[in-house]
Amino acid sequence: MFLFGENMAKRAGKRKEKTGGRAEHRQAEPETLKRQRVFVDAVARLADPLCAAEGIELVHVEYQREPGGLTLRLYLDKPGGVNLDDCVAISRQLEDIMDAHTQDAPPYRLEVSSPGLDRPVGKFDDFIRFAGHRVKIRMGTAVNGRKNFTGVLAGAADGMIRLQVDNETVSLDFNDITRARLINYNGER
């Protein structure tokens, strides 16, 4: 997996997040989650045409708290795979675009990466595209008493993802999925 990270602290350090002490392990408030989703959607809208112009697929955008602070991570792919130069080029161009279009952005550290073996699945069409592959899915609310599912993608339609878990097919609401990743994905589709 290639990884290219830049400190996106607005060159002058304006957006640098102050961290210290122990990391807190608590659930984010619903309003915070909503703001984060709006931010991720805005970044995806800015990054998608940039990536397309470079012949690269924007696989997924995520924004999450990590030990080093808040990380905005973009996963990229293209036939034959992305390399370090691809990640650097997108990172530098996106930094300039975001500086111009997201003045009120929350603090973040930008990372641009290949998807790796545990490729994120975030677009509805990807759940169709990767039918037959093993996937791990985390839900925002419990389904049949569970939030975490591991199984084989059995397809998607009408906003629902079908997942084969053991000998049972489970239907999961696409809009309630908080995280989904292919397991040991090694190839193009």
Side-chain angles (χ1 to χ4, degrees), residues 2 55 76-83 86 114-115 119 185 187-189:
F2 287 104
L76 311 176
D77 205 3
K78 70 178 184 183
V82 294
N83 58 38
D86 294 325
S114 67
R119 178 189 177 104
Y185 175 72
E188 295 179 22
R189 187 179 269 198

Side-chain angles (χ1 to χ4, degrees), residues 17 26-45 61-66 69-72 105-107 178:
E17 180 184 13
R26 59 186 165 107
Q27 278 299 62
E29 299 296 323
E31 190 61 34
T32 301
L33 292 174
K34 184 177 177 182
R35 281 194 310 273
Q36 288 176 349
R37 183 159 279 194
V38 168
F39 177 57
V40 165
D41 291 345
V43 170
R45 281 192 305 277
V61 178
E62 63 186 23
Y63 180 65
Q64 62 189 25
R65 181 168 301 284
E66 294 184 350
L70 292 167
T71 299
L72 174 64
T178 59

